[in-house]
């Protein structure tokens, strides 16, 4: 074993972490401010007698630091990683490939300016803009400055070899992309092991905090409105009915609401935070409220581009972030035994092999790969993915899973992903027993199973489930489950009560 000289050993992960640190600070501030705003709204709704989600058991967490920090990690590992990796790549390309060419620099500046423009095209979005303003220039300049003198050196023949695994793995994983990919990754990669379960639990505990900070109005579960400026009592009652049906809850005597409606003759003026957004005839709104509210949501949405950037960064930036951190660990591990250039190549080859092994494992265990001919036999299989495929087949064919002999054994499955799909299949069951079991599964220890149990109760359309669902929301400490419970209530025809 040779001695590792850290002063001469460089890896781009160091620059990347600097960008992620900036992103985490911004993300924590963004989520914390959103949480405080949501707390004030939820408190006002609760005080007014509405059912607020997040409800009381979760509401207090909105004022604390750790949910903001944990939720901020979502933005750090998505939009933060995307901007940091893009800036690092641009700095390296400009310095190493174009040798500091000024025209190329102007091209990069134009792209950066275009991203800033797109981010603010529907109004100033301060914190989303800050990611681009603070992360991109810092990482670009730092990378350009140190790329020539500090970058990992390789022999001419192997100069590009350590870059090949990233696009290669991206292309291979692209073949697996469909609407079920993320659920399959959860079922096959996370839930079967201890660390994966911890990660999944963390994700579902904290992901709603950042999500709430950049949703458009039509994506939110509950919105607030004010009808204080409606002079006609008859029109006010009609508007309240339409708004309640669309989860816009009228609040009296509150200045900051999502929608303020004022009457101007036969017209309604929609405004938000003192800014006029839309004007529409009262009878047109009453006839088609959903269309008008959708138009209002689009006009007030300042985070549409930021959501798209975040989603693309999650698809591209997060996997590359995992790759670079793995490469970093393997590079420094092999640097004890090999030269710098050989360490870089060895780490790249090992990352490629690990990526391929994970891909093969996930592909082999995807339930969609199994063609189920005999459902009864498949449900009794020792292979978990075959059993899940059989349960999915029952759900797709709208069969009653309680008719199968293996049903009671499946209820006691130790695998949360199997119970999850069992609960999904119970949604189409017509037996009274299925509703009873779904109510029991509201106590399941897994968040995904509990949430799916709420959804399935909503789909069964048995209104007697409304009361127990309401009771569960009020004692639940799980915001994710509360969200699905509220949606189930609305599916069952339940509606918020009018204010007196």
């Amino acid at each position: 074993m040779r001695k590792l000289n850290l002063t001469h050993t460089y890896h781009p992960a160091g620059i990347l972490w600097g960008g992620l640190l900036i992103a985490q600070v911004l993300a924590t501030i963004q989520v914390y401010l959103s949480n405080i705003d949501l707390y004030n709204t939820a408190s006002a709704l609760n005080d007014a007698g509405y059912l607020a989600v997040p409800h009381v058991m979760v509401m207090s967490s909105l004022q604390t630091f750790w949910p903001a920090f944990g939720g901020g990690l979502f933005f750090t590992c998505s939009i933060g990683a995307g901007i940091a990796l893009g800036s690092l790549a641009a700095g390296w390309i400009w310095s190493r490939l174009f040798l500091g060419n000024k025209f190329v620099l102007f091209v990069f500046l134009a792209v950066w300016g275009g991203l800033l423009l797109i981010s603010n095209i529907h109004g100033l979005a301060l914190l989303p803009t800050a990611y681009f303003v603070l992360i991109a220039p810092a990482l670009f300049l730092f990378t350009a400055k140190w790329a020539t003198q500090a970058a990992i050196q390789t022999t001419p023949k192997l100069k590009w070899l350590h870059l090949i695994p990233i696009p290669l793995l991206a292309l291979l994983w692209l073949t697996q992309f469909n609407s079920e990919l993320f659920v399959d990754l959860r079922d096959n990669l996370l839930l079967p092991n201890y660390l994966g379960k911890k990660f999944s639990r963390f994700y579902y505990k904290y992901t709603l905090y950042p999500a709430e900070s950049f949703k458009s109005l039509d994506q939110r579960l509950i919105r607030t409105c004010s009808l204080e400026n409606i002079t006609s009592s008859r029109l006010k009652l009609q508007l309240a009915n339409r708004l309640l049906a669309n989860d816009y809850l009228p609040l009296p005597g509150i200045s900051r609401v999502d929608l303020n409606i004022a009457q101007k003759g036969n017209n309604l003026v929609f405004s938000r935070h003192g800014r006029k957004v839309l004007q529409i005839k009262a009878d047109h709104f009453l006839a088609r409220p959903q269309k008008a509210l959708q138009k209002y949501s689009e006009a007030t949405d300042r985070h549409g581009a930021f959501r798209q950037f975040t989603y693309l960064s999650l698809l591209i930036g997060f996997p590359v972030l995992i790759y670079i951190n793995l490469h970093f660990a393997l590079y420094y591990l092999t640097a004890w035994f090999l030269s710098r250039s050989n360490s870089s190549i060895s780490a790249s080859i090992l990352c490629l092999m690990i990526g391929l092994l994970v891909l093969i494992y996930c592909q082999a265990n995807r339930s969609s790969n199994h063609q189920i001919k005999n459902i009864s036999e498949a449900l009794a299989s020792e292979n978990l993915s075959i059993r899940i495929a059989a349960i999915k087949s029952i759900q797709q064919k709208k069969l009653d899973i309680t008719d199968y002999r293996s049903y009671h054994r499946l209820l006691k499955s130790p695998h949360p992903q199997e119970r999850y799909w069992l609960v999904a299949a119970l949604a189409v069951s017509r037996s009274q027993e299925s509703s009873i079991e779904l109510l029991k599964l509201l106590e399941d220890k897994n968040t995904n199973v509990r949430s799916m149990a709420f959804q399935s109760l909503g789909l069964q359309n048995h209104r007697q489930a409304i009361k127990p669902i309401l009771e569960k929301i009020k004692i639940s400490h799980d915001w994710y489950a509360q969200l699905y419970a509220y949606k189930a209530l609305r599916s069952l025809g339940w509606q918020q009560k009018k204010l007196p």
Side-chain angles (χ1 to χ4, degrees), residues 26 59 63 95 113 135 167-168 173 203 207 226 304 335 337 343 362 366 368 435 440 485 488-489:
L26 292 172
M59 205 183 296
Q63 295 181 296
S95 177
I135 299 173
L168 179 59
W173 274 97
Y203 175 83
T207 190
S226 173
F337 307 95
S343 295
C362 289
R366 294 189 77 170
S368 57
S435 298
K440 291 179 182 178
L489 288 172

Side-chain angles (χ1 to χ4, degrees), residues 16-51:
L16 178 61
W17 293 339
L20 295 179
L21 179 60
I22 298 172
Q24 181 61 30
V25 172
L26 292 172
T28 301
I29 294 172
Q30 179 181 358
V31 177
Y32 181 76
L33 293 176
S34 171
N35 286 351
I36 294 300
D37 187 57
L38 181 59
Y39 174 80
N40 292 333
T41 299
S43 297
L45 289 170
N46 191 61
D47 293 342
Y50 290 119
L51 176 65

Side-chain angles (χ1 to χ4, degrees), residues 305-327:
F306 185 69
R307 285 196 301 275
Q308 293 299 319
F309 290 145
T310 301
Y311 179 69
L312 289 174
S313 296
L314 186 63
L315 288 179
I316 301 172
F318 182 60
V320 176
L321 174 64
I322 294 175
Y323 177 93
I324 289 181
N325 281 294
L326 179 60
H327 190 282

